Amino acid sequence: MIQLKRNYFGKVAPSTDQSENPFIIRLPCRSMYVNLGFDPDPEQFIIASFHLESENVLKCAGFLAAESSVGTWTELTTMKNRIEKLKAVVFRKEGNFIQVAYPLELFEYGNIPLLLSDVAGNIFGLEYVSRLKLLDLDFPKDYISSFPGPLYGIEGVRSILKTGKRPHVGTIIKPKMGLNPEETAGVAFDAYTGGCDFVKDDENLSDQKFCPFEERVVRVLEAADKAGEETGEKKMYAPNVTSPQFMERAQFVKDHGGACIMIDVLTAGFTAVQLLRSTGMVIHGHRAMHAAVTRDPRHGIEMVVFAKLARLAGVDQLHIGAAVGKMKGSKKEIQKIRDAITEDIGLKRVFPVASGGLYPGVVPELLEFMGNDVIIQAGGGIHGHPDGTYCGAKAMRQAVDAGMKKISLTKYAEEHGELKKALEKWGSSRVRE
Ligand code: CAP
Ligand code: MG
């Protein structure tokens, strides 16, 4: 094992510490990267909140601040005094909760990948960090305004679909893969005519042999137009463009009259979202893979961080969970994410998408805590209806109507057969607090 003669700040390490990992810093509390009396100006610093577990939280926090700003594991002969002002500073510690202030000058404006390479980069791999969770990021107005944010947002999407104030109903075509373009368009048509405003591909469908992208797009857009004429409602389709060809595919959708595309924000990356913003399309953001990073409460990155970044990058609609159904997430967590993508920060508000194991029986409860600005998406909960997709979509719209009119679902089902059958099949369920 390498033995260092000097510690992180150049002081000779006491011999009793020799058994420690040589890269463990012996950082005095009031070292250059820790200043617990510091009160950072929120307009001059990006504030990162972490839950940090380590043998010595404060020392480790200092190391974390160094590594994620100007420092490294040892003192540097190349360090200059003027660089001092670029260092990140740990200014708060309460147990394992720490906050670090990053001077704005450290960052390139409008660059999300770089921001993550800083505040969520090497620090997660430090040996001295046992566990680390990035809980939140708060940005100065100046930094926020270097991003375009959503082109449409809630109001823009509503004005395309002319839906007033009611929640949107969407579906994911199921089976998630395997249908050919003609079959996909058939299912989409049934969903649209039954009452869905929105149809989207699943996150793992792109341009496979069984369902080529271009043919699917053309056929589903035709189905959307036809269903629109039949119902008098405007319909939207979000083909999944997640691939290295995402820009060409988005252009193809646009050239064929589509208004929206879907991107798997985390697998494709924030750069893809930032580029897609320039196509002028509505961007539907799926968050597949987020739970690999967000799920462990003590390690990784909170979904609220990704949601804030997706908003900066320009998504118009974003999956945030549902607190009911098949995906993990509590009401509290989901409301926090919803608030982060809809609060007034000078950018348009992102349309929250609730999805994952939803069905008519959960709709009123969902509306109660989400409000009407929500896209309720159901795949299985529509295509699994005993009488098929058309009736499944009708049942979802009936559940939304009942929820908005504050009539109980059982009462409403007395005169709405599709809803009645859906309730018989799936019942209702409780929101997870
Ligand atoms: C929903 C879904 C979504 C999940 C992802 C699926 O289908 O299409 O990808 O909702 O969860 O394949 O599971 P079902 P989240 O309606 O059939 O469950 O939106 O929370 O990331
Ligand atoms: Mg899916």
Side-chain angles (χ1 to χ4, degrees):
M1 191 160 73
I2 310 159
Q3 288 296 326
L4 296 183
K5 288 207 179 78
R6 290 183 174 272
N7 76 3
Y8 186 66
F9 288 102
K11 289 186 186 134
V12 177
S15 55
T16 47
D17 281 346
Q18 291 307 313
S19 60
E20 286 186 4
N21 178 322
F23 290 91
I24 290 177
I25 47 164
R26 285 105 187 161
L27 186 71
C29 289
R30 298 198 197 293
S31 78
M32 60 188 285
Y33 294 99
V34 178
N35 181 356
L36 296 181
F38 181 52
D39 182 17
D41 175 352
E43 293 309 324
Q44 297 300 326
F45 292 85
I46 290 178
I47 308 294
S49 304
F50 295 96
H51 182 272
L52 170 63
E53 292 177 33
S54 167
E55 276 174 42
N56 184 324
V57 174
L58 198 58
K59 278 185 183 178
C60 190
F63 192 10
L64 179 156
E67 180 67 30
S68 55
S69 60
V70 299
T72 184
W73 61 274
T74 188
E75 67 177 326
L76 300 166
T77 56
T78 46
M79 187 57 83
K80 315 262 184 240
N81 280 345
R82 67 163 201 282
I83 295 175
E84 270 274 298
K85 67 174 195 293
L86 294 176
K87 70 185 199 268
V89 176
V90 181
F91 67 94
R92 191 164 164 212
K93 177 192 175 295
E94 280 165 29
N96 295 95
F97 177 77
I98 60 158
Q99 286 191 301
V100 183
Y102 293 87
L104 261 187
E105 240 192 294
L106 263 186
F107 304 94
E108 180 184 348
Y109 278 28
N111 186 339
I112 293 175
L114 182 102
L115 171 74
L116 286 171
S117 300
D118 261 306
V119 302
N122 288 357
I123 53 179
F124 281 94
L126 295 174
E127 170 74 13
Y128 196 34
V129 167
S130 314
R131 287 174 189 244
L132 178 67
K133 185 99 189 223
L134 175 57
L135 302 172
D136 209 346
L137 287 177
D138 289 298
F139 306 109
K141 284 191 198 72
D142 200 33
Y143 185 76
I144 291 173
S145 64
S146 72
F147 293 91
L151 182 58
Y152 296 91
I154 299 178
E155 284 72 23
V157 174
R158 282 195 179 287
S159 73
I160 296 175
L161 293 180
K162 307 203 186 327
T163 47
K165 290 196 186 313
R166 74 166 169 81
H168 288 185
V169 174
T171 192
I172 316 98
I173 301 291
K174 303 279 170 172
K176 56 203 299 165
M177 287 193 287
L179 296 178
N180 64 32
E182 194 184 345
E183 291 162 340
T184 306
V187 176
F189 183 76
D190 290 347
Y192 285 135
T193 47
C196 284
D197 305 294
F198 182 74
V199 166
K200 71 170 207 53
D201 290 346
D202 227 322
E203 68 284 348
N204 41 11
L205 184 65
S206 57
D207 189 31
Q208 289 93 332
K209 276 204 188 96
F210 53 77
C211 197
F213 180 83
E214 295 191 351
E215 194 189 339
R216 179 171 80 250
V217 167
V218 171
R219 285 182 181 263
V220 178
L221 287 175
E222 273 169 15
D225 285 348
K226 203 165 143 229
E229 280 163 28
E230 227 169 81
T231 57
E233 288 179 345
K234 190 97 179 83
K235 307 293 182 182
M236 193 175 260
Y237 171 46
N240 184 10
V241 298
T242 307
S243 67
Q245 296 78 26
F246 64 94
M247 288 299 274
E248 290 93 320
R249 291 189 190 169
Q251 192 56 48
F252 181 87
V253 179
K254 194 174 182 180
D255 292 344
H256 289 79
C260 181
I261 46 85
M262 175 174 109
I263 185 90
D264 297 343
V265 174
L266 295 168
T267 60
F270 288 99
T271 302
V273 180
Q274 291 188 276
L275 287 170
L276 277 171
R277 171 67 165 68
S278 66
T279 63
M281 313 277 289
V282 173
I283 302 174
H284 180 94
H286 195 286
R287 58 177 188 161
M289 197 178 78
H290 80 91
V293 184
T294 60
R295 185 165 182 156
D296 185 332
R298 289 158 61 194
H299 191 80
I301 300 174
E302 280 287 328
M303 180 61 208
V304 73
V305 173
F306 289 136
K308 284 183 175 182
L309 299 181
R311 184 184 191 185
L312 296 181
V315 299
D316 297 287
Q317 314 190 148
L318 182 69
H319 287 236
I320 65 164
V324 280
K326 74 180 184 189
M327 305 301 279
K328 194 160 167 44
S330 69
K331 186 171 150 183
K332 218 169 115 203
E333 281 163 29
I334 284 144
Q335 281 176 322
K336 187 173 178 198
I337 304 167
R338 188 266 321 268
D339 293 348
I341 58 172
T342 55
E343 72 180 343
D344 185 10
I345 54 164
L347 300 178
K348 288 188 178 140
R349 302 185 304 143
V350 178
F351 223 140
V353 177
S355 190
L358 302 185
Y359 48 91
V362 302
V363 168
E365 256 193 301
L366 191 63
L367 292 183
E368 214 168 290
F369 82 90
M370 291 289 284
N372 286 350
D373 282 335
V374 62
I375 301 170
I376 304 174
Q377 264 178 201
I382 283 182
H383 311 295
H385 188 282
D387 295 327
T389 296
Y390 175 76
C391 293
K394 277 191 100 168
M396 276 305 276
R397 275 292 283 270
Q398 290 163 358
V400 168
D401 291 344
M404 288 186 73
K405 290 177 183 159
K406 308 263 183 241
I407 301 173
S408 84
L409 287 184
T410 5
K411 179 105 194 82
Y412 207 68
E414 286 170 11
E415 290 180 6
H416 296 87
E418 293 82 7
L419 178 61
K420 188 163 188 288
K421 281 207 176 170
L423 294 181
E424 280 163 9
K425 179 163 180 179
W426 295 303
S428 55
S429 96
R430 297 256 125 228
V431 164
R432 295 182 290 266
E433 286 305 318

